[in-house]
Amino acid sequence: MTNPDDLAAELTARNVAVVALTWVDNSGITRMKGIPVGRLAHAAQWGVGASPVFDTFLVDDSSVLGQYAGGPVGDLRLVPDLRKLTVLAGQPGWAWAPADRYDQNRDRHPQDARGVLERVVGKLADQGFTVRAGFEVEWCVTPSDSLPAYGMARVVEHSDYLRTLMEALIAENVLVEQLHPEYSPGQFEVSFSPLDPVGAADMLVLVRETIRAVSASFGRRASFAPRVVAGGVGNGGHIHLSLWRDSANLMLSDVGSSFVAGILARLPALLAFGAPSVASYLRLVPSHWAGAYACWGHENREAALRFVTGSPGERESAANIEVKCFDATANPYLALAALLSAGIVGVTDGASLPEPVEVDPASLASPPPRLPTSLSAAADALERDPLFASALGVELVDTVLAVRRGEVAVFDGASEEEIVARTLWRY
Ligand code: GLU
Ligand code: MG
């Protein structure tokens, strides 16, 4: 059902008063405009006004000026995708829909991240490919605890919180596969069944805000920041991907290898999308399960790309690649669009993978190259690579670079502790 009047009537019957329309900006922050349920039909037809300046917003809410974005002039229309309209189980009286950003002539805004991902997925479809994508969500919640990593004791202590969260996700039709306590104090993870790329990114936005809302209803606060405690294991934003054609998973074939090789070859530039904050590089260090080396390996949790083989019997459908070096400051639409663009170039070029690394790369006498160790190095790699401007748009890449360099400047001279403190509650 996507008729806005019918949907509004149903929302009203379910005691919903407000609909949150969200989009994710280039610094990875989910921004929103809210409308009363009675305005849903108007919003679906005309959109809701939003300044294009948000494209240049930084993590601290200051903004920069790009060649194609920034400044006070202009207006975009946020149009809810009513197919995704969801009653929010963690926020009584609220519903949510991801918004597409159009200009006033109803042309898609070239820097609309969701539109960029739709375009990339469409290009893959033209070549006969589909993609299944899934995000893992890690977060730390206050108050922290000193209970064992992965321990049942932590789950017992947080039992009502976690059950309420699971109930909320189920009520929102989120396809949860797993929930567990993670390594760091107060850290948890949920993971989900794979979906089409846009669906997976939408689901990630919904899940994160649901975790935040359920946390708030318990008087607690969730952080998805890459580092929560200086020196500790951080929050990753791992992405699972598999490439398909004619209902067949290609990940165990040469085409799948070329897809992974295409991603591996471009990881430094890809980090400008997937590890896009200054804080990302506090997380992305060796021997912290973050995947700090430019290599791949079978089930290797220290490789940037972990090849997940699955068990015999389900391997043909389950095989996928896990991008470990990405974190939750990434705009999920852009992270996926960039990964798929790199992967498909690998397929077109028939790229081949180097030998896998089957130990912790840090333990090798001559380890594979480290990934960029700073945001400015990742931004430089992005700027040097013409692929992304042609695949994602010159305007978008220019703005992304302006935002990355703006954030580098914002944190210039800051200590590790300051970066952690100033990022912690932004994500
Ligand atoms: N929290 C780790 C990270 O920063 C990942 C732990 C895991 O392997 O799930 O990516
Ligand atoms: Mg994890």
Side-chain angles (χ1 to χ4, degrees), residues 370-393:
R370 273 286 300 274
L371 289 171
T373 55
S374 69
L375 181 57
S376 53
D380 290 348
L382 172 61
E383 187 168 39
R384 279 194 301 269
D385 192 333
L387 166 72
F388 295 99
S390 77
L392 311 179

PDB file of all heavy atoms in Angstrom, residues 370-393:
ATOM      1  N   ARG A 370      49.681  -1.342   4.911  1.00  0.00           N
ATOM      2  CA  ARG A 370      48.640  -0.791   5.779  1.00  0.00           C
ATOM      3  C   ARG A 370      47.696   0.050   4.929  1.00  0.00           C
ATOM      4  O   ARG A 370      48.103   0.694   3.966  1.00  0.00           O
ATOM      5  CB  ARG A 370      49.270   0.144   6.824  1.00  0.00           C
ATOM      6  CG  ARG A 370      49.766  -0.510   8.112  1.00  0.00           C
ATOM      7  CD  ARG A 370      48.666  -0.945   9.062  1.00  0.00           C
ATOM      8  NE  ARG A 370      47.782   0.091   9.555  1.00  0.00           N
ATOM      9  CZ  ARG A 370      48.033   0.841  10.625  1.00  0.00           C
ATOM     10  NH1 ARG A 370      49.153   0.701  11.296  1.00  0.00           N
ATOM     11  NH2 ARG A 370      47.142   1.736  11.024  1.00  0.00           N
ATOM     12  N   LEU A 371      46.449   0.075   5.304  1.00  0.00           N
ATOM     13  CA  LEU A 371      45.505   1.017   4.702  1.00  0.00           C
ATOM     14  C   LEU A 371      45.886   2.425   5.172  1.00  0.00           C
ATOM     15  O   LEU A 371      46.669   2.564   6.116  1.00  0.00           O
ATOM     16  CB  LEU A 371      44.085   0.653   5.140  1.00  0.00           C
ATOM     17  CG  LEU A 371      43.544  -0.632   4.509  1.00  0.00           C
ATOM     18  CD1 LEU A 371      42.222  -1.029   5.155  1.00  0.00           C
ATOM     19  CD2 LEU A 371      43.365  -0.441   3.008  1.00  0.00           C
ATOM     20  N   PRO A 372      45.334   3.456   4.533  1.00  0.00           N
ATOM     21  CA  PRO A 372      45.633   4.813   5.007  1.00  0.00           C
ATOM     22  C   PRO A 372      45.455   4.907   6.522  1.00  0.00           C
ATOM     23  O   PRO A 372      44.547   4.301   7.092  1.00  0.00           O
ATOM     24  CB  PRO A 372      44.597   5.670   4.279  1.00  0.00           C
ATOM     25  CG  PRO A 372      44.336   4.932   3.010  1.00  0.00           C
ATOM     26  CD  PRO A 372      44.447   3.474   3.356  1.00  0.00           C
ATOM     27  N   THR A 373      46.350   5.679   7.140  1.00  0.00           N
ATOM     28  CA  THR A 373      46.290   5.805   8.597  1.00  0.00           C
ATOM     29  C   THR A 373      45.705   7.146   9.021  1.00  0.00           C
ATOM     30  O   THR A 373      45.717   7.487  10.190  1.00  0.00           O
ATOM     31  CB  THR A 373      47.691   5.639   9.212  1.00  0.00           C
ATOM     32  OG1 THR A 373      48.557   6.595   8.584  1.00  0.00           O
ATOM     33  CG2 THR A 373      48.237   4.232   8.980  1.00  0.00           C
ATOM     34  N   SER A 374      45.217   7.909   8.056  1.00  0.00           N
ATOM     35  CA  SER A 374      44.569   9.177   8.407  1.00  0.00           C
ATOM     36  C   SER A 374      43.495   9.494   7.377  1.00  0.00           C
ATOM     37  O   SER A 374      43.537   9.000   6.242  1.00  0.00           O
ATOM     38  CB  SER A 374      45.595  10.317   8.432  1.00  0.00           C
ATOM     39  OG  SER A 374      46.022  10.577   7.107  1.00  0.00           O
ATOM     40  N   LEU A 375      42.570  10.354   7.804  1.00  0.00           N
ATOM     41  CA  LEU A 375      41.505  10.753   6.889  1.00  0.00           C
ATOM     42  C   LEU A 375      42.084  11.533   5.715  1.00  0.00           C
ATOM     43  O   LEU A 375      41.607  11.389   4.582  1.00  0.00           O
ATOM     44  CB  LEU A 375      40.456  11.589   7.640  1.00  0.00           C
ATOM     45  CG  LEU A 375      39.274  12.054   6.806  1.00  0.00           C
ATOM     46  CD1 LEU A 375      38.542  10.884   6.159  1.00  0.00           C
ATOM     47  CD2 LEU A 375      38.306  12.886   7.650  1.00  0.00           C
ATOM     48  N   SER A 376      43.102  12.338   5.956  1.00  0.00           N
ATOM     49  CA  SER A 376      43.617  13.116   4.808  1.00  0.00           C
ATOM     50  C   SER A 376      44.267  12.194   3.780  1.00  0.00           C
ATOM     51  O   SER A 376      44.138  12.434   2.574  1.00  0.00           O
ATOM     52  CB  SER A 376      44.543  14.253   5.241  1.00  0.00           C
ATOM     53  OG  SER A 376      45.540  13.784   6.058  1.00  0.00           O
ATOM     54  N   ALA A 377      44.911  11.097   4.234  1.00  0.00           N
ATOM     55  CA  ALA A 377      45.502  10.166   3.262  1.00  0.00           C
ATOM     56  C   ALA A 377      44.401   9.481   2.444  1.00  0.00           C
ATOM     57  O   ALA A 377      44.541   9.270   1.234  1.00  0.00           O
ATOM     58  CB  ALA A 377      46.360   9.132   3.983  1.00  0.00           C
ATOM     59  N   ALA A 378      43.291   9.137   3.097  1.00  0.00           N
ATOM     60  CA  ALA A 378      42.179   8.508   2.358  1.00  0.00           C
ATOM     61  C   ALA A 378      41.577   9.503   1.359  1.00  0.00           C
ATOM     62  O   ALA A 378      41.255   9.145   0.218  1.00  0.00           O
ATOM     63  CB  ALA A 378      41.119   8.009   3.336  1.00  0.00           C
ATOM     64  N   ALA A 379      41.431  10.760   1.785  1.00  0.00           N
ATOM     65  CA  ALA A 379      40.878  11.779   0.877  1.00  0.00           C
ATOM     66  C   ALA A 379      41.804  11.977  -0.324  1.00  0.00           C
ATOM     67  O   ALA A 379      41.338  12.104  -1.466  1.00  0.00           O
ATOM     68  CB  ALA A 379      40.679  13.097   1.630  1.00  0.00           C
ATOM     69  N   ASP A 380      43.114  11.971  -0.087  1.00  0.00           N
ATOM     70  CA  ASP A 380      44.061  12.115  -1.210  1.00  0.00           C
ATOM     71  C   ASP A 380      43.909  10.949  -2.190  1.00  0.00           C
ATOM     72  O   ASP A 380      43.938  11.138  -3.406  1.00  0.00           O
ATOM     73  CB  ASP A 380      45.508  12.166  -0.693  1.00  0.00           C
ATOM     74  CG  ASP A 380      45.803  13.460   0.064  1.00  0.00           C
ATOM     75  OD1 ASP A 380      44.975  14.398  -0.021  1.00  0.00           O
ATOM     76  OD2 ASP A 380      46.834  13.520   0.760  1.00  0.00           O
ATOM     77  N   ALA A 381      43.736   9.735  -1.644  1.00  0.00           N
ATOM     78  CA  ALA A 381      43.564   8.563  -2.515  1.00  0.00           C
ATOM     79  C   ALA A 381      42.284   8.696  -3.339  1.00  0.00           C
ATOM     80  O   ALA A 381      42.255   8.354  -4.528  1.00  0.00           O
ATOM     81  CB  ALA A 381      43.543   7.283  -1.680  1.00  0.00           C
ATOM     82  N   LEU A 382      41.237   9.212  -2.729  1.00  0.00           N
ATOM     83  CA  LEU A 382      39.984   9.419  -3.471  1.00  0.00           C
ATOM     84  C   LEU A 382      40.187  10.445  -4.582  1.00  0.00           C
ATOM     85  O   LEU A 382      39.740  10.246  -5.717  1.00  0.00           O
ATOM     86  CB  LEU A 382      38.873   9.873  -2.508  1.00  0.00           C
ATOM     87  CG  LEU A 382      37.562  10.307  -3.161  1.00  0.00           C
ATOM     88  CD1 LEU A 382      36.934   9.167  -3.964  1.00  0.00           C
ATOM     89  CD2 LEU A 382      36.573  10.808  -2.096  1.00  0.00           C
ATOM     90  N   GLU A 383      40.867  11.511  -4.255  1.00  0.00           N
ATOM     91  CA  GLU A 383      41.054  12.577  -5.254  1.00  0.00           C
ATOM     92  C   GLU A 383      41.866  12.088  -6.455  1.00  0.00           C
ATOM     93  O   GLU A 383      41.619  12.493  -7.588  1.00  0.00           O
ATOM     94  CB  GLU A 383      41.756  13.781  -4.613  1.00  0.00           C
ATOM     95  CG  GLU A 383      41.814  14.980  -5.553  1.00  0.00           C
ATOM     96  CD  GLU A 383      42.240  16.235  -4.823  1.00  0.00           C
ATOM     97  OE1 GLU A 383      43.135  16.144  -3.951  1.00  0.00           O
ATOM     98  OE2 GLU A 383      41.683  17.303  -5.135  1.00  0.00           O
ATOM     99  N   ARG A 384      42.816  11.187  -6.193  1.00  0.00           N
ATOM    100  CA  ARG A 384      43.680  10.697  -7.273  1.00  0.00           C
ATOM    101  C   ARG A 384      42.974   9.713  -8.207  1.00  0.00           C
ATOM    102  O   ARG A 384      43.464   9.409  -9.275  1.00  0.00           O
ATOM    103  CB  ARG A 384      44.898   9.970  -6.670  1.00  0.00           C
ATOM    104  CG  ARG A 384      46.007  10.876  -6.197  1.00  0.00           C
ATOM    105  CD  ARG A 384      47.286  10.084  -5.947  1.00  0.00           C
ATOM    106  NE  ARG A 384      47.116   9.039  -4.943  1.00  0.00           N
ATOM    107  CZ  ARG A 384      47.339   9.208  -3.636  1.00  0.00           C
ATOM    108  NH1 ARG A 384      47.728  10.380  -3.186  1.00  0.00           N
ATOM    109  NH2 ARG A 384      47.174   8.222  -2.782  1.00  0.00           N
ATOM    110  N   ASP A 385      41.829   9.163  -7.782  1.00  0.00           N
ATOM    111  CA  ASP A 385      41.206   8.067  -8.537  1.00  0.00           C
ATOM    112  C   ASP A 385      40.000   8.574  -9.326  1.00  0.00           C
ATOM    113  O   ASP A 385      38.987   8.926  -8.744  1.00  0.00           O
ATOM    114  CB  ASP A 385      40.759   6.979  -7.544  1.00  0.00           C
ATOM    115  CG  ASP A 385      40.385   5.694  -8.265  1.00  0.00           C
ATOM    116  OD1 ASP A 385      39.987   5.769  -9.448  1.00  0.00           O
ATOM    117  OD2 ASP A 385      40.481   4.628  -7.639  1.00  0.00           O
ATOM    118  N   PRO A 386      40.111   8.622 -10.661  1.00  0.00           N
ATOM    119  CA  PRO A 386      39.012   9.190 -11.449  1.00  0.00           C
ATOM    120  C   PRO A 386      37.739   8.330 -11.458  1.00  0.00           C
ATOM    121  O   PRO A 386      36.673   8.796 -11.837  1.00  0.00           O
ATOM    122  CB  PRO A 386      39.596   9.300 -12.859  1.00  0.00           C
ATOM    123  CG  PRO A 386      40.736   8.333 -12.899  1.00  0.00           C
ATOM    124  CD  PRO A 386      41.228   8.163 -11.488  1.00  0.00           C
ATOM    125  N   LEU A 387      37.853   7.067 -11.041  1.00  0.00           N
ATOM    126  CA  LEU A 387      36.681   6.184 -11.108  1.00  0.00           C
ATOM    127  C   LEU A 387      35.478   6.779 -10.374  1.00  0.00           C
ATOM    128  O   LEU A 387      34.354   6.752 -10.867  1.00  0.00           O
ATOM    129  CB  LEU A 387      36.986   4.803 -10.494  1.00  0.00           C
ATOM    130  CG  LEU A 387      35.709   3.980 -10.240  1.00  0.00           C
ATOM    131  CD1 LEU A 387      35.123   3.488 -11.545  1.00  0.00           C
ATOM    132  CD2 LEU A 387      35.945   2.844  -9.279  1.00  0.00           C
ATOM    133  N   PHE A 388      35.721   7.301  -9.168  1.00  0.00           N
ATOM    134  CA  PHE A 388      34.583   7.648  -8.318  1.00  0.00           C
ATOM    135  C   PHE A 388      33.826   8.856  -8.851  1.00  0.00           C
ATOM    136  O   PHE A 388      32.600   8.905  -8.758  1.00  0.00           O
ATOM    137  CB  PHE A 388      35.043   7.811  -6.868  1.00  0.00           C
ATOM    138  CG  PHE A 388      35.543   6.499  -6.318  1.00  0.00           C
ATOM    139  CD1 PHE A 388      36.900   6.221  -6.268  1.00  0.00           C
ATOM    140  CD2 PHE A 388      34.650   5.519  -5.937  1.00  0.00           C
ATOM    141  CE1 PHE A 388      37.362   4.994  -5.811  1.00  0.00           C
ATOM    142  CE2 PHE A 388      35.106   4.278  -5.479  1.00  0.00           C
ATOM    143  CZ  PHE A 388      36.455   4.020  -5.417  1.00  0.00           C
ATOM    144  N   ALA A 389      34.560   9.833  -9.428  1.00  0.00           N
ATOM    145  CA  ALA A 389      33.844  10.966 -10.013  1.00  0.00           C
ATOM    146  C   ALA A 389      32.983  10.492 -11.174  1.00  0.00           C
ATOM    147  O   ALA A 389      31.843  10.937 -11.342  1.00  0.00           O
ATOM    148  CB  ALA A 389      34.832  12.026 -10.468  1.00  0.00           C
ATOM    149  N   SER A 390      33.495   9.534 -11.963  1.00  0.00           N
ATOM    150  CA  SER A 390      32.676   9.104 -13.105  1.00  0.00           C
ATOM    151  C   SER A 390      31.535   8.195 -12.643  1.00  0.00           C
ATOM    152  O   SER A 390      30.442   8.247 -13.196  1.00  0.00           O
ATOM    153  CB  SER A 390      33.537   8.463 -14.199  1.00  0.00           C
ATOM    154  OG  SER A 390      33.891   7.161 -13.849  1.00  0.00           O
ATOM    155  N   ALA A 391      31.739   7.393 -11.610  1.00  0.00           N
ATOM    156  CA  ALA A 391      30.677   6.471 -11.177  1.00  0.00           C
ATOM    157  C   ALA A 391      29.641   7.148 -10.283  1.00  0.00           C
ATOM    158  O   ALA A 391      28.461   6.820 -10.339  1.00  0.00           O
ATOM    159  CB  ALA A 391      31.296   5.281 -10.444  1.00  0.00           C
ATOM    160  N   LEU A 392      30.093   8.063  -9.435  1.00  0.00           N
ATOM    161  CA  LEU A 392      29.178   8.634  -8.434  1.00  0.00           C
ATOM    162  C   LEU A 392      28.816  10.085  -8.721  1.00  0.00           C
ATOM    163  O   LEU A 392      27.896  10.623  -8.102  1.00  0.00           O
ATOM    164  CB  LEU A 392      29.813   8.554  -7.031  1.00  0.00           C
ATOM    165  CG  LEU A 392      30.390   7.192  -6.615  1.00  0.00           C
ATOM    166  CD1 LEU A 392      30.991   7.275  -5.223  1.00  0.00           C
ATOM    167  CD2 LEU A 392      29.324   6.102  -6.666  1.00  0.00           C
ATOM    168  N   GLY A 393      29.548  10.702  -9.626  1.00  0.00           N
ATOM    169  CA  GLY A 393      29.251  12.091  -9.971  1.00  0.00           C
ATOM    170  C   GLY A 393      30.359  13.024  -9.497  1.00  0.00           C
ATOM    171  O   GLY A 393      30.816  12.929  -8.361  1.00  0.00           O
TER     172      GLY A 393
END
